[in-house]
Amino acid sequence: MNDGSTSGELADSLRTLVSRLSPGDRLPSSRELIKEYRVGPATVARAIAALAAEGAVVTRPGSGTYVAQRARRGGGPGSGAPGDGDAIGAADTSWQTVALTDRVVDTHLIDDPLGPPPAGAITMDGGYVHRSLQPTRALSAALARAARRPDAWDRAPAGGLTALRTVFARIVGGSVAPEDVLVTAGGQSALSIAFRAIAGPGSAVLVESPTYPRALAAARAAGLRPVPVPLDADGLRPDMLADAFAMTGARLLYCQPTFQNPTGAVLSPERRRQILDVARASGAFVIEDDFARHLGHGRGPVPRPLVADDGDGTVVHVTSLTKPAAPSLRIGALVARGPVMERMRAVRLVDDFFVTRPLQEAALEVLSSPSWERHVRALGAALRERCAVLASAIAREAPGATLSGLPPGGLPTGGLHLWVRLPPGVDDTVLTSAARQRGVAVSAGSRYFATEPPAAHLRIGFAATADHAELTEGARRLGAALGDLGPGRM
């Protein structure tokens, strides 16, 4: 075969070769075919593509071309005409292992290794409020009205509806303006956008220790390297933060100053100033995750966001309506000033253009209604009661387990969880599994650390259960699971 041979002639020759081989056998490489048949690379590529389209061969990038499994033929064995009833075997995707080696999306911290809780289990591992605590009627009515608007299905602005951005700016306070707000599809989307927009792959990002596992997952998916910084009852430690910036050269800090997840700690006023001063001195951004802005327990005013007192664009603020409202109200916001906002707008435009308009309209209507403030107050009172009930039940049913991350004897003043330190020698993952066997789901504390945890903890939620009785029963089952372990089994 000379240089003028067509890809069709080469394809015929290869069909003959394939007929003599077995499924899974490897064809000669492109280089070998070029040499043997004296053709160019383009001719080989077209011939292989033709056979692949027929289903005679499969190509595996980086590996080669292989004879496909024999398909049943409608015209009888060897007729060459595919039949209507041809069966396609299971795809061999092993080649993807090589093709995907340069990027990993690590979800081990957010995927529950035990799977979903068994039927009838008491759910104390979730991050959302029970349906009885959600403003479902207001949400349903708002969404129905939003869907009836004449422009309901028109394209929304990439940055979000101006009226909704205005409401978010008002909630944040300070000198934040609507143009400083970018509406997102919930808080997790906002975190993903911020991490990818601010820092390049391989960079360090400082995080509280412990911290929110889904933030760790989002940072790692962006190619970042989380570096833990300890916190105490007053929140993130500024002295440790300054050392971490100096040692790592990081230009990004992720933190939750208000009702921190999982500890419930609130960053003290003095430390709020210090954290911003340290970040400015390091030329770094601060991602402020303000997920719990509407989850205060009514024991006093919720502290102002860091971004409200930020005059030079250090803070990138993240907020969301999902936690205080309902899991499917996937509406959040990013607040920032300067070039970083333009970068985040660009990332969101590439990702998904805009958040669906009816959901934005519904969120706007809910936030603008007087019933929203009533809901937030009622929710706070309910959470305060549940928090006290659970804390009392754990003290009674699980001796040796103590509240952690707060001043001695204190309870969280906001949020949805208790952070509980386990007795010495107890393995949190073993206890979590034992608790499942007893019919209660809790979260192993090791998931909340970027590196090895200093002690064993559980995060136990009080918002997703149906009522106080279920909270008490859940604590009883957890105590029984702790007793099941016994000496030498922990």
Coordinates of all heavy atoms in Angstrom, one line a residue, residues 125-177:
D125 N -27.4 13.8 62.4 CA -26.1 14.0 61.7 C -26.3 15.0 60.6 O -25.4 15.3 59.8 CB -25.5 12.7 61.1 CG -26.5 12.1 60.1 OD1 -27.7 12.4 60.0 OD2 -26.0 11.2 59.4
G126 N -27.5 15.6 60.4 CA -27.8 16.5 59.3 C -27.5 17.9 59.6 O -27.3 18.3 60.7
G127 N -27.5 18.7 58.5 CA -27.2 20.2 58.6 C -28.4 21.0 58.3 O -28.2 22.2 57.9
Y128 N -29.6 20.5 58.3 CA -30.8 21.3 57.9 C -31.9 21.1 59.0 O -31.8 20.2 59.8 CB -31.4 20.8 56.6 CG -30.5 20.8 55.4 CD1 -30.0 19.7 54.8 CD2 -30.1 22.1 54.9 CE1 -29.1 19.8 53.8 CE2 -29.2 22.2 53.8 CZ -28.7 21.0 53.3 OH -27.8 21.1 52.2
V129 N -32.8 22.1 59.0 CA -33.8 22.0 60.1 C -34.9 21.1 59.6 O -35.2 20.9 58.5 CB -34.4 23.4 60.4 CG1 -33.3 24.3 60.9 CG2 -35.1 24.0 59.1
H130 N -35.6 20.5 60.6 CA -36.7 19.6 60.4 C -37.8 20.3 59.6 O -38.0 21.6 59.7 CB -37.3 19.1 61.7 CG -38.3 18.0 61.5 ND1 -39.6 18.2 61.5 CD2 -38.1 16.6 61.4 CE1 -40.3 17.1 61.4 NE2 -39.4 16.1 61.3
R131 N -38.6 19.6 58.9 CA -39.7 20.2 58.1 C -40.6 21.0 58.9 O -41.2 22.0 58.5 CB -40.5 19.1 57.3 CG -41.5 19.6 56.3 CD -42.1 18.4 55.6 NE -41.1 17.6 54.9 CZ -41.3 16.4 54.4 NH1 -42.5 15.9 54.6 NH2 -40.4 15.8 53.8
S132 N -40.9 20.6 60.1 CA -41.8 21.4 61.0 C -41.2 22.7 61.4 O -42.0 23.6 61.8 CB -42.0 20.6 62.3 OG -40.8 20.4 63.0
L133 N -39.9 23.0 61.2 CA -39.3 24.2 61.5 C -39.1 25.1 60.2 O -38.6 26.2 60.3 CB -37.9 24.0 62.2 CG -37.9 23.2 63.5 CD1 -36.5 23.1 64.0 CD2 -38.8 24.0 64.5
Q134 N -39.5 24.6 59.1 CA -39.3 25.3 57.8 C -40.5 26.2 57.5 O -41.7 25.8 57.8 CB -39.1 24.3 56.7 CG -37.8 23.5 56.8 CD -37.8 22.3 55.8 OE1 -38.5 22.3 54.8 NE2 -36.9 21.4 56.0
P135 N -40.3 27.3 56.9 CA -41.5 28.2 56.5 C -42.1 27.6 55.2 O -42.1 28.3 54.1 CB -40.9 29.5 56.3 CG -39.5 29.3 55.8 CD -39.1 28.0 56.5
T136 N -42.6 26.4 55.2 CA -43.0 25.7 53.9 C -44.2 26.4 53.2 O -44.2 26.5 52.0 CB -43.3 24.3 54.2 OG1 -44.2 24.2 55.3 CG2 -42.1 23.5 54.5
R137 N -45.1 26.9 54.0 CA -46.3 27.6 53.4 C -45.8 28.9 52.7 O -46.2 29.1 51.5 CB -47.3 27.9 54.4 CG -48.1 26.7 55.0 CD -49.2 27.1 55.9 NE -49.9 25.9 56.4 CZ -51.0 26.0 57.2 NH1 -51.4 27.2 57.6 NH2 -51.6 24.9 57.6
A138 N -45.0 29.6 53.4 CA -44.5 30.9 52.8 C -43.7 30.6 51.5 O -43.8 31.3 50.5 CB -43.7 31.7 53.8
L139 N -42.9 29.6 51.6 CA -42.0 29.2 50.4 C -42.9 28.8 49.3 O -42.6 29.2 48.1 CB -41.0 28.1 50.8 CG -39.9 28.5 51.7 CD1 -39.1 27.3 52.2 CD2 -38.9 29.5 51.0
S140 N -43.9 27.9 49.5 CA -44.7 27.4 48.4 C -45.5 28.5 47.8 O -45.6 28.6 46.6 CB -45.6 26.3 49.0 OG -44.9 25.2 49.5
A141 N -46.1 29.4 48.6 CA -46.9 30.5 48.1 C -46.0 31.5 47.3 O -46.4 31.9 46.2 CB -47.5 31.3 49.2
A142 N -44.8 31.7 47.8 CA -43.9 32.7 47.1 C -43.4 32.1 45.7 O -43.4 32.8 44.7 CB -42.6 32.9 47.9
L143 N -43.1 30.8 45.7 CA -42.7 30.1 44.5 C -43.9 30.1 43.4 O -43.6 30.3 42.2 CB -42.2 28.7 44.7 CG -41.6 28.0 43.5 CD1 -40.4 28.8 43.0 CD2 -41.1 26.6 43.9
A144 N -45.1 29.9 43.9 CA -46.2 29.8 43.0 C -46.4 31.2 42.4 O -46.7 31.3 41.2 CB -47.5 29.4 43.8
R145 N -46.3 32.3 43.2 CA -46.5 33.6 42.7 C -45.4 34.0 41.7 O -45.6 34.6 40.7 CB -46.6 34.6 43.8 CG -47.9 34.6 44.6 CD -48.1 35.8 45.5 NE -47.1 35.7 46.6 CZ -47.5 35.1 47.8 NH1 -48.6 34.5 48.0 NH2 -46.6 35.0 48.8
A146 N -44.2 33.6 42.0 CA -43.0 33.8 41.2 C -43.2 33.2 39.8 O -42.9 33.8 38.8 CB -41.7 33.4 41.8
A147 N -43.7 32.0 39.8 CA -43.9 31.2 38.5 C -44.9 31.9 37.7 O -45.0 31.6 36.4 CB -44.2 29.8 38.8
R148 N -45.9 32.6 38.2 CA -46.9 33.3 37.4 C -46.5 34.6 36.9 O -47.3 35.2 36.1 CB -48.2 33.4 38.3 CG -48.9 32.1 38.7 CD -50.3 32.3 39.2 NE -50.3 33.1 40.4 CZ -50.3 32.5 41.6 NH1 -50.3 31.2 41.7 NH2 -50.3 33.2 42.7
R149 N -45.4 35.1 37.2 CA -44.9 36.4 36.7 C -44.7 36.3 35.2 O -44.3 35.3 34.7 CB -43.6 36.8 37.4 CG -43.8 37.2 38.8 CD -42.4 37.5 39.4 NE -41.7 38.5 38.7 CZ -41.7 39.8 39.0 NH1 -42.4 40.2 40.1 NH2 -41.0 40.7 38.3
P150 N -45.0 37.4 34.4 CA -44.9 37.3 33.0 C -43.4 37.0 32.6 O -43.2 36.4 31.5 CB -45.3 38.7 32.5 CG -46.2 39.2 33.6 CD -45.7 38.6 34.9
D151 N -42.5 37.5 33.4 CA -41.0 37.3 33.0 C -40.4 36.2 33.8 O -39.2 36.1 33.9 CB -40.3 38.6 33.3 CG -40.4 39.0 34.7 OD1 -41.1 38.4 35.5 OD2 -39.6 40.0 35.1
A152 N -41.2 35.3 34.3 CA -40.7 34.2 35.2 C -39.6 33.4 34.6 O -38.7 33.0 35.2 CB -41.9 33.3 35.7
W153 N -39.8 33.1 33.3 CA -38.8 32.2 32.6 C -37.8 32.9 31.7 O -37.2 32.3 30.9 CB -39.6 31.1 31.9 CG -40.5 30.4 32.8 CD1 -41.8 30.5 32.9 CD2 -40.1 29.5 33.9 NE1 -42.3 29.7 34.0 CE2 -41.2 29.0 34.6 CE3 -38.8 29.0 34.3 CZ2 -41.2 28.2 35.6 CZ3 -38.8 28.1 35.4 CH2 -40.0 27.7 36.0
D154 N -37.8 34.2 31.9 CA -36.8 35.0 31.2 C -35.4 34.8 31.8 O -35.3 34.3 33.0 CB -37.1 36.5 31.2 CG -38.3 36.9 30.4 OD1 -38.8 36.0 29.6 OD2 -38.7 38.0 30.4
R155 N -34.4 35.1 31.1 CA -33.0 35.0 31.6 C -32.8 36.0 32.7 O -33.2 37.2 32.6 CB -32.0 35.2 30.5 CG -30.6 35.3 31.0 CD -29.6 35.3 29.9 NE -28.2 35.4 30.3 CZ -27.1 35.2 29.6 NH1 -27.3 34.8 28.3 NH2 -25.9 35.3 30.1
A156 N -32.2 35.6 33.8 CA -31.9 36.5 34.9 C -30.6 37.1 34.7 O -29.7 36.6 34.0 CB -32.0 35.8 36.2
P157 N -30.3 38.3 35.3 CA -29.0 38.9 35.2 C -27.9 37.9 35.8 O -28.2 37.2 36.8 CB -29.1 40.2 36.0 CG -30.5 40.5 36.1 CD -31.2 39.2 36.0
A158 N -26.7 37.9 35.3 CA -25.7 37.0 35.7 C -25.4 37.2 37.2 O -25.1 36.3 37.9 CB -24.4 37.2 34.9
G159 N -25.4 38.5 37.7 CA -25.1 38.8 39.0 C -26.3 38.6 40.0 O -26.1 38.6 41.2
G160 N -27.5 38.3 39.5 CA -28.6 38.2 40.3 C -29.6 39.4 40.1 O -29.2 40.4 39.7
L161 N -30.8 39.1 40.5 CA -31.8 40.2 40.4 C -31.4 41.4 41.3 O -31.0 41.2 42.5 CB -33.2 39.7 40.9 CG -33.8 38.5 40.1 CD1 -35.1 38.1 40.8 CD2 -34.0 38.9 38.7
T162 N -31.5 42.6 40.8 CA -31.1 43.8 41.5 C -31.8 43.9 42.9 O -31.2 44.2 43.9 CB -31.3 45.0 40.7 OG1 -30.6 44.9 39.5 CG2 -30.9 46.3 41.5
A163 N -33.1 43.6 42.9 CA -33.8 43.7 44.1 C -33.3 42.7 45.2 O -33.3 43.0 46.4 CB -35.3 43.5 43.9
L164 N -33.0 41.5 44.7 CA -32.5 40.5 45.7 C -31.1 40.9 46.2 O -30.8 40.7 47.4 CB -32.5 39.1 45.0 CG -32.1 38.0 45.9 CD1 -32.9 37.8 47.1 CD2 -32.1 36.7 45.1
R165 N -30.3 41.4 45.3 CA -29.0 41.8 45.7 C -29.1 43.0 46.7 O -28.3 43.1 47.7 CB -28.1 42.3 44.5 CG -27.7 41.1 43.7 CD -26.7 41.4 42.6 NE -27.3 42.1 41.5 CZ -27.0 43.3 41.1 NH1 -26.1 44.0 41.7 NH2 -27.6 43.9 40.1
T166 N -30.1 43.8 46.6 CA -30.3 44.9 47.5 C -30.7 44.4 48.9 O -30.2 44.9 49.9 CB -31.4 45.9 47.0 OG1 -31.0 46.4 45.7 CG2 -31.7 47.0 47.9
V167 N -31.5 43.4 48.9 CA -31.9 42.8 50.2 C -30.7 42.2 50.9 O -30.5 42.4 52.1 CB -33.0 41.8 50.0 CG1 -33.3 41.0 51.3 CG2 -34.3 42.4 49.5
F168 N -29.9 41.4 50.2 CA -28.7 40.8 50.7 C -27.7 41.9 51.3 O -27.1 41.8 52.3 CB -27.9 39.9 49.7 CG -28.5 38.5 49.7 CD1 -29.0 38.0 48.5 CD2 -28.4 37.7 50.8 CE1 -29.4 36.7 48.4 CE2 -28.9 36.4 50.7 CZ -29.4 35.9 49.5
A169 N -27.6 43.0 50.5 CA -26.7 44.1 51.0 C -27.2 44.7 52.3 O -26.4 45.0 53.2 CB -26.6 45.2 49.9
R170 N -28.5 44.8 52.4 CA -29.1 45.4 53.6 C -28.9 44.4 54.8 O -28.6 44.9 55.9 CB -30.6 45.6 53.4 CG -31.3 46.3 54.6 CD -32.7 46.7 54.3 NE -33.5 45.5 54.2 CZ -34.2 45.1 53.1 NH1 -34.0 45.8 52.0 NH2 -34.9 44.0 53.1
I171 N -29.0 43.1 54.6 CA -28.8 42.2 55.6 C -27.3 42.2 56.1 O -27.1 42.2 57.3 CB -29.1 40.7 55.1 CG1 -30.6 40.6 54.9 CG2 -28.6 39.7 56.1 CD1 -31.0 39.3 54.3
V172 N -26.4 42.3 55.2 CA -25.0 42.4 55.6 C -24.7 43.7 56.4 O -24.0 43.7 57.4 CB -24.1 42.3 54.4 CG1 -22.6 42.6 54.7 CG2 -24.2 40.9 53.7
G173 N -25.2 44.8 55.9 CA -25.0 46.1 56.6 C -23.7 46.8 56.2 O -23.1 46.5 55.2
G174 N -23.3 47.7 57.0 CA -22.2 48.5 56.7 C -22.4 49.4 55.4 O -23.5 49.8 55.2
S175 N -21.3 49.5 54.6 CA -21.5 50.3 53.4 C -21.6 49.4 52.2 O -21.4 49.8 51.1 CB -20.2 51.1 53.2 OG -19.0 50.4 53.2
V176 N -22.0 48.1 52.4 CA -22.2 47.1 51.3 C -23.3 47.6 50.4 O -24.4 47.9 50.9 CB -22.4 45.7 51.8 CG1 -22.8 44.8 50.7 CG2 -21.2 45.2 52.5
A177 N -23.0 47.6 49.1 CA -24.0 48.1 48.1 C -24.5 46.9 47.2 O -23.8 45.9 47.2 CB -23.4 49.2 47.2

